Amino acid sequence: MSVPPLLACAVAAALYALGGAGRSGAAPRGRRWREACFYLGIALMFVALEPPFDNWADTSFAMHMVQHVVLLTIAPPLLVLGRPWPRMWMPFPAEARRAVVRSLARGRWSAPLRLAARWATKPPVAIAILSVAIG
């Protein structure tokens, strides 16, 4: 069973919004810019995965390819520019966050994951992975 795009986009947007709530004062321009990028990326994913666009992608090869471009090359960079991880963690209790981070950082089970992440996040490797995914 797959998660409906509306639900996934709504949960991501809600966690991001809750993670940024409670900050005092006016938002600095850089933070507003990051928020705009993140929400635009979420909106583009939602539009590309829901009707009528998804229905058009099922019947038209051109629209199907536009859907691929949006989902693989436009929305992801916007989401990354929004720096979601620090904010999306904040709504969870501090002790739960600490336990997860401790387990990921020091856990024996996560050593292969850390190694893969270190390798896959090198720019040439990341570009190669993107090229394979698109191709």
Side-chain angles (χ1 to χ4, degrees):
M1 184 173 101
S2 66
V3 177
L6 174 61
L7 180 61
C9 291
V11 167
L15 286 173
Y16 192 82
L18 289 170
R23 294 187 177 185
S24 61
R29 197 165 94 195
R31 188 172 66 177
R32 287 192 308 260
W33 184 79
R34 285 194 304 270
E35 289 173 351
C37 286
F38 181 81
Y39 290 124
L40 179 59
I42 290 289
L44 285 172
M45 286 182 25
F46 175 73
V47 167
L49 293 171
E50 286 290 323
F53 198 94
D54 192 47
N55 294 340
W56 297 334
D58 288 341
T59 59
S60 165
F61 180 70
M63 294 307 284
H64 181 78
M65 295 316 294
V66 168
Q67 186 181 43
H68 277 271
V69 169
V70 169
L71 293 174
L72 290 171
T73 62
I74 299 173
L78 288 170
L79 295 173
V80 169
L81 285 171
R83 294 183 57 213
W85 298 122
R87 282 185 62 163
M88 292 175 86
W89 277 94
M90 294 311 293
F92 297 102
E95 191 52 42
R97 291 192 316 257
R98 278 189 213 103
V100 169
V101 169
R102 200 174 305 118
S103 177
L104 284 171
R106 298 186 196 134
R108 194 174 203 187
W109 69 272
S110 62
L113 181 65
R114 289 191 307 269
L115 180 66
R118 210 170 323 159
W119 176 77
T121 55
K122 293 180 182 196
V125 176
I127 290 170
I129 291 171
L130 175 65
S131 298
V132 168
I134 290 174

